């Protein structure tokens, strides 16, 4: 069995280790590929099932916010194996709060880190996996500023049978994790996600989350508002603390809201006909298109979306006649003039830029 | 295609007691690539190895360079080992083809497709530069893209292999460039994308040399031709310091004119003779962030009618209802019934869906 002495000589032990309750991680240098790696062994061989679950979960997830699995160091018997992953450089999130002196400075970085964690978890969920133990000690910011989730020891596939004993991390675990009746689900990750965000923002968990059963941490949420954290996001966090899993927002919804927050005002829209081209952005956020007597519409940019308002004549978006203001799809074709006008109709293509969250 | 007799592995071979060879994928100047099943992690992977001794030294260096980068737009290095005297690289398997094969099917690409491909290439390059890794040989055949109808996935591969092309260039200058060019497939493939500083003093590649190469690749996507031509004649033009000509096709399309202009300004910036004048990879990503383009998934079909020199319909291969298009949305000379096309399609409600852009496949020469 590949206990530490059996790790192949290709990997040179760097003398650093992290001993956890379930498993131990040691850091090695892969001398062949000249990169540092982390090798994880389960402490008690009887928990091998858990390790197998972690490997299955990790290899099914595709995300830049989840640790990369390079290999398994296996034995012919497959009774024991070591998990070989990338080594995450950079900071542990436990020291994250201490980097910001004032609460005001904290807001922009908090939104970025909250976005990255939500992106990682929604990728995990998209693979049909529940993380099961979301808390700040299971994530790390690498040297590029990319947050990665790395401990999937309690991960399970959706629909898997759950145990009857409490597993997770107190204060971060959702109420259902303490009972034997309700299934632990991806909604439990939403709860733990929100607790993680409060922990990052304040450096500790609010008392409301440490009591059993927990209650909404209202004073913490009020503080976030007072620092200038956008109301939409605070409300999403608040919903994450709902007692019922069904009332909590899925991580993909949180990711989308934060993404919008972080790219606000950075779009450009381009409207093109066979003879003209117009650009919309925050500095030029409205335009009226008059296509002779065929039709007339106003297009505006509200720093997140582009909207079209038909003023007169016949205006169609993606072949659908519109009679009231609507949000323009990111790519669309606007047609001015009734279909009976045939070739006399005038067309504009509309396309939006792809601003990315700069991390 | 490599004849089966020259393939080092056959399907069914097991490498290192673990990787079961499924099929031959591709072959480059220095390596062969196979599709394999990793029985330990129960996943499909790409297995690569050098074709000969001279390729071997570079191969390991290339593996080490790739191994430093973790990014969705860079093919992931999983393992490297020796087995029966041969070196092997295990890389993430990408269900796709190299970008060269994609470019071969079209006379040129429409600006939305160019923006999509360039944006992803730039992101992959930025990640590698952040890891301190130069690619040295960015060209269409070193990027893998998902198969048609829409190359959603774009990944850079084969880092640093170029060092070889670089060394061959040194040899070429010493022993006569004309002769070398006709004998070295590697050099012929690499040259059109090589920056002037790399040609003037081989071995002095810098980060901005990769940015030049992205510019050259974008030029080729937009125009269907390499910015400075091919072969020996390209060398003089690249080091001349003159900008490549603006592609003639640019004026032809009003509908896409503004998109083309934006792309062209990026190409010009990347192809600055002085490396310090070129954007960094991070700056290139930000410029691509600002491009307005549609990444709507494409479909493939055949033009079934074209009337009054103005509009027509496409019969899609997926058997769904015919799609309307206007000639202004056609990204090519003139639509013709029977022309095979790739197109993005917009519709809502019950009205006939509308295609834009409509990109013709290259006519097969018969």
């Amino acid at each position: 069995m590949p206990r530490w002495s059996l790790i192949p000589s290709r990997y040179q032990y760097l003398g650093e280790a992290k001993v956890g309750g379930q498993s131990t991680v040691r850091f090695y240098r892969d001398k062949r590929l000249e990169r540092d790696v982390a090798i994880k062994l389960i402490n008690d061989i009887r928990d091998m099932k858990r390790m197998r679950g972690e490997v299955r979960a990790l290899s099914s997830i595709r995300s830049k916010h989840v640790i990369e699995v390079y290999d398994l160091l296996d034995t012919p018997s497959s009774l024991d194996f070591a998990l070989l992953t990338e080594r995450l450089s950079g900071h542990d999130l436990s020291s994250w709060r201490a980097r910001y002196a004032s609460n005001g400075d904290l807001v922009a970085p908090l939104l970025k880190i909250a976005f990255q964690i939500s992106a990682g978890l929604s990728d995990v969920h998209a693979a049909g996996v529940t993380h099961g133990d979301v808390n700040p000690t299971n994530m790390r910011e690498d040297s590029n500023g990319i947050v990665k989730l790395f401990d999937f020891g309690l991960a399970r596939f959706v629909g898997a049978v759950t145990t009857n004993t409490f597993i997770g991390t107190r204060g971060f675990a959702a109420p259902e994790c303490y009972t034997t009746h309700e299934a632990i689900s991806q909604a439990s990750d939403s709860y733990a996600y929100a607790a993680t965000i409060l922990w990052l923002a304040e450096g500790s968990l609010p008392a409301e989350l440490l009591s059993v059963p927990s209650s909404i941490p209202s004073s913490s949420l009020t503080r976030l508002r007072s620092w200038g954290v956008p109301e939409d996001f605070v409300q999403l966090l608040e919903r994450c603390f709902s007692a019922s899993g069904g009332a909590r927002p899925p991580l993909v919804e949180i990711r989308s809201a934060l993404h919008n927050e972080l790219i606000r005002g950075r779009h450009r829209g381009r409207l093109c006909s066979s003879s003209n081209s117009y650009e919309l952005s925050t500095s030029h956020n409205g335009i009226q298109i008059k296509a002779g007597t065929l039709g007339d519409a106003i297009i505006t940019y509200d720093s997140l979306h582009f909207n079209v308002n038909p003023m007169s004549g016949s205006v169609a978006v993606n072949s659908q006649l519109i009679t009231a203001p609507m949000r323009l799809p990111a790519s669309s074709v606007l047609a001015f003039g009734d279909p009976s006008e045939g070739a006399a109709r005038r067309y504009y293509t509309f396309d939006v830029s792809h601003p990315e969250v700069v991390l | 295609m490599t004849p089966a007799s020259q393939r080092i592995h056959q399907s069914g071979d097991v490498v290192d007691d673990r990787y079961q060879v499924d099929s031959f994928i591709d072959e480059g100047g220095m390596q062969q690539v196979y599709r394999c099943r990793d029985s330990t992690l129960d996943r499909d992977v790409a297995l690569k190895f050098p074709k000969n001794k001279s390729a071997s030294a570079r191969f390991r260096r290339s593996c080490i360079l790739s191994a430093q980068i973790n990014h969705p737009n860079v093919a992931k290095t999983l393992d490297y080992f020796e087995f029966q005297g041969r070196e092997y690289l295990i890389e993430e398997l990408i269900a796709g083809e190299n970008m060269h094969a994609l470019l071969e099917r079209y006379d040129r690409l429409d600006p939305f497709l160019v923006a999509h491909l360039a944006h992803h290439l730039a992101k992959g390059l930025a990640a590698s530069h952040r890891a301190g890794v130069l690619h040295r040989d960015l060209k269409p055949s070193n990027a893998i893209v998902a198969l048609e109808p829409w190359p959603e996935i774009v990944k850079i591969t084969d880092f640093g292999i170029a060092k070889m092309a670089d060394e061959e260039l040194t040899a070429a200058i010493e022993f006569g460039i004309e002769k070398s060019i006709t004998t070295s497939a590697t050099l012929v493939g690499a040259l059109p994308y090589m920056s002037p500083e790399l040609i003037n003093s081989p071995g002095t590649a810098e980060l901005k040399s990769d940015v030049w190469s992205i510019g050259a690749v974008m030029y080729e996507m937009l125009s269907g031709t390499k910015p400075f031509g091919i072969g020996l004649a390209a060398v003089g033009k690249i080091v001349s310091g003159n900008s490549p000509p603006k592609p003639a096709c640019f004026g032809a399309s009003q509908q896409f004119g503004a998109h083309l202009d934006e792309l062209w300004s990026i190409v010009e910036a990347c192809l600055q003779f002085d490396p310090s004048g070129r954007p960094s990879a991070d700056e290139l990503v930000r410029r691509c962030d600002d491009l307005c383009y549609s990444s709507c998934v494409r479909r493939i079909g055949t033009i079934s009618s074209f009337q009054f020199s103005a509009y027509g319909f496409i019969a899609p291969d997926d058997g769904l209802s015919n799609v309307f298009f206007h000639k202004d949305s056609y990204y090519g000379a003139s639509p013709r019934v029977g022309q095979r096309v790739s197109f993005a399609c917009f519709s809502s409600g019950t009205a006939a869906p509308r295609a834009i852009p409509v990109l013709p496949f290259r006519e097969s020469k018969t």
Side-chain angles (χ1 to χ4, degrees):
Chain A
M1 290 179 194
R3 292 281 118 186
W4 300 114
S5 62
L6 295 174
I7 300 293
S9 61
R10 162 183 179 175
Y11 303 102
Q12 183 184 355
Y13 183 40
L14 296 171
E16 302 161 67
K18 279 193 168 178
V19 183
Q22 309 291 339
S23 57
T24 300
V25 175
R26 285 190 179 186
F27 299 108
Y28 288 78
R29 180 75 176 168
D30 176 351
K31 289 185 284 186
R32 242 185 254 167
L33 281 170
E34 297 179 17
R35 62 183 175 189
D36 288 355
V37 298
I39 296 181
K40 181 172 179 171
L41 275 180
I42 200 100
N43 292 344
D44 184 341
I45 189 83
R46 286 167 297 187
D47 289 333
M48 223 39 223
K49 194 171 154 234
R50 180 169 289 176
M51 185 85 156
R52 251 183 267 283
E54 173 162 16
V55 171
R56 269 187 68 215
L58 276 173
S59 48
S60 65
I61 301 163
R62 291 275 162 274
S63 175
K64 70 171 179 178
H65 295 293
V66 171
I67 195 165
E68 210 67 71
V69 176
Y70 290 145
D71 206 354
L72 283 186
L73 304 176
D74 207 355
T75 57
S77 68
S78 291
L79 284 174
D80 187 13
F81 55 75
L83 176 61
L84 186 89
T85 65
E86 66 177 312
R87 179 184 189 176
L88 301 175
S89 53
H91 297 277
D92 200 299
L93 291 192
S94 58
S95 62
W96 190 84
R97 179 65 181 83
R99 279 185 256 161
Y100 302 95
S102 88
N103 298 328
D105 291 347
L106 185 73
V107 176
L110 182 70
L111 292 179
K112 279 190 182 180
I113 205 152
F115 166 70
Q116 295 201 64
I117 299 168
S118 68
L121 285 171
S122 51
D123 290 338
V124 169
H125 289 180
V129 173
T130 302
H131 186 286
D133 193 19
V134 177
N135 74 67
T137 64
N138 287 341
M139 40 190 88
R140 209 174 162 89
E141 200 174 7
D142 77 9
S143 47
N144 283 326
I146 306 292
V147 173
K148 294 204 180 195
L149 312 175
F150 62 84
D151 191 337
F152 284 71
L154 297 181
R156 71 210 75 193
F157 283 89
V158 170
V161 181
T162 57
T163 55
N164 286 340
T165 50
F166 172 79
I167 45 172
T169 303
R170 265 180 210 285
F172 295 93
E176 61 270 20
C177 303
Y178 297 83
T179 69
T180 56
H181 307 297
E182 236 181 303
I184 292 162
S185 69
Q186 294 184 339
S188 318
D189 285 348
S190 291
Y191 181 100
Y193 166 82
T196 299
I197 301 306
L198 291 189
W199 188 92
L200 288 173
E202 305 209 276
S204 61
L205 276 178
E208 292 94 327
L209 298 185
L210 289 166
S211 55
V212 181
S214 64
S215 55
I216 305 280
S218 305
S219 48
S220 292
L221 294 170
T222 304
R223 272 194 295 280
L224 291 191
R225 285 188 177 96
S226 73
W227 299 344
V229 176
E231 178 61 25
D232 285 359
F233 182 50
V234 179
Q235 282 183 18
L236 283 168
L237 290 177
E238 183 160 6
R239 281 170 55 205
C240 285
F241 294 116
S242 305
S244 153
R248 298 177 202 146
L251 262 310
V252 65
E253 184 184 338
I254 299 171
R255 166 201 218 154
S256 162
L258 284 168
H259 184 262
N260 283 344
E261 196 53 54
L262 290 166
I263 60 170
R264 186 178 287 280
R266 292 183 44 223
H267 303 83
R268 294 192 316 139
R270 186 168 283 290
L271 199 63
C272 282
S273 72
S274 54
S275 51
N276 294 93
S277 167
Y278 309 99
E279 189 180 303
L280 284 98
S281 63
T282 36
S283 54
H284 191 112
N285 59 8
I287 189 169
Q288 184 163 20
I289 301 289
K290 289 185 180 178
T293 56
L294 295 168
D296 173 2
I298 291 174
I299 297 170
T300 52
Y301 175 47
D302 63 12
S303 83
L304 213 47
H305 302 289
F306 293 86
N307 306 289
V308 57
N309 189 0
M311 305 303 287
S312 71
S314 173
V315 181
V317 173
N318 291 340
S319 311
Q320 188 70 37
L321 193 69
I322 57 164
T323 52
M326 67 170 278
R327 184 180 292 176
L328 272 176
S331 284
S332 42
V333 177
L334 283 80
F336 292 84
D338 190 81
S340 66
E341 302 274 356
R345 292 175 92 193
R346 205 171 298 170
Y347 297 95
Y348 286 83
T349 57
F350 179 72
D351 294 288
V352 180
S353 66
H354 298 61
E356 296 240 341
V357 175
V358 181
L359 299 171
Chain B
M1 195 79 174
T2 315
S5 59
Q6 286 172 27
R7 294 183 194 159
I8 298 164
H9 282 296
Q10 306 301 326
S11 101
D13 286 0
V14 176
V15 178
D16 205 25
D17 291 333
R18 171 170 180 180
Y19 301 101
Q20 179 156 3
V21 176
D22 177 56
S23 54
F24 175 83
I25 297 178
D26 202 2
E27 169 161 336
M30 61 178 286
Q31 62 186 9
Q32 289 188 350
V33 189
Y34 291 82
R35 179 193 180 95
C36 285
R37 185 74 182 170
D38 171 0
S39 60
T40 300
L41 277 162
D42 213 20
R43 61 183 173 187
D44 291 325
V45 294
L47 177 147
K48 295 184 171 182
F49 57 86
K51 289 198 311 201
N52 51 48
K53 272 268 177 288
S54 74
S56 177
R58 284 294 151 230
F59 185 76
R60 175 158 185 264
R61 197 63 220 157
S62 170
C63 296
I64 290 168
L65 288 175
S66 312
Q68 315 303 315
I69 313 158
N70 259 325
H71 189 272
N73 294 118
V74 173
K76 207 168 294 158
T77 301
L78 299 170
D79 199 5
Y80 175 88
F81 56 87
E82 279 174 37
F83 176 68
Q84 295 180 348
R86 204 183 286 280
E87 292 142 306
Y88 289 87
L89 167 71
I90 302 296
E91 201 175 77
E92 129 183 63
L93 183 75
I94 300 141
E97 59 182 350
N98 76 48
M99 198 185 278
H100 176 73
L102 175 84
L103 293 178
E104 282 288 292
R105 285 197 295 276
Y106 300 96
D107 287 330
R108 57 201 164 93
L109 306 183
D110 64 85
F112 295 159
L113 185 48
V114 175
H116 165 79
L117 295 171
H119 200 176
H120 285 87
L121 287 178
K123 285 194 243 185
L125 184 66
S128 56
H129 284 187
R130 277 198 298 270
V133 174
L134 265 80
H135 189 287
R136 315 178 68 104
D137 191 20
L138 275 171
K139 55 186 180 188
S141 58
N142 283 340
I144 312 285
V145 295
L147 293 173
E148 301 267 24
W150 177 246
E152 176 112 44
I153 298 166
V154 182
K155 289 182 195 256
I156 301 173
T157 182
D158 293 341
F159 281 80
I161 279 196
K163 182 82 184 177
M164 195 169 79
D166 198 355
E167 279 165 0
E168 289 198 28
L169 187 67
T170 311
I173 287 164
E174 277 170 27
F175 304 113
I177 202 159
E178 203 151 354
K179 185 159 174 282
S180 304
I181 263 183
T182 51
T183 54
S184 166
T186 317
L187 194 53
V188 168
L191 205 52
Y193 310 96
M194 257 189 200
S195 61
E197 63 272 16
L198 213 61
I199 291 178
N200 279 330
S201 37
T204 59
E206 52 176 300
L207 297 177
K208 296 286 184 73
S209 309
D210 284 344
V211 173
W212 168 285
S213 301
I214 296 251
V217 172
M218 285 177 74
Y219 186 100
E220 183 176 4
M221 291 175 184
L222 286 166
S223 68
T225 57
K226 293 165 178 68
F228 300 95
I230 54 170
L232 190 57
V235 173
K237 290 181 190 164
I238 292 172
V239 300
S240 73
N242 296 327
S243 302
K246 192 167 182 176
C249 56
F250 269 39
S253 168
Q254 279 300 317
Q255 186 78 56
F256 302 104
H259 302 98
L260 287 171
D261 287 345
E262 288 180 332
L263 287 165
W264 179 247
S265 76
I266 295 179
V267 172
E268 278 191 309
C270 293
L271 295 181
Q272 288 291 309
F273 184 82
D274 179 0
S276 65
R278 298 173 207 153
S280 69
D282 277 325
E283 283 161 355
L284 188 59
V285 172
R286 282 197 290 277
R287 292 193 65 167
C288 290
D289 283 351
D290 270 347
L291 292 169
C292 300
Y293 67 92
S294 155
S295 44
C296 179
V297 172
R298 304 276 169 110
R299 292 160 66 191
I300 291 172
T302 305
I303 293 181
S304 58
S305 71
F306 185 60
Q307 296 164 2
F308 310 116
S309 301
Y311 63 88
F313 286 89
I314 300 163
D317 286 3
D318 53 27
L320 297 175
S321 60
N322 282 3
V323 177
F324 174 88
F325 76 96
H326 189 275
K327 78 168 190 320
D328 291 340
S329 307
Y330 185 80
Y331 199 71
S334 182
R336 174 185 65 75
V337 172
Q339 171 70 50
R340 299 281 293 156
V341 293
S342 144
F343 62 97
C345 182
F346 298 93
S347 74
S348 59
T350 52
R354 187 186 169 91
I356 183 165
V358 179
L359 179 64
F361 283 99
R362 177 172 286 171
E363 301 274 87
S364 56
K365 293 186 184 81
T366 47

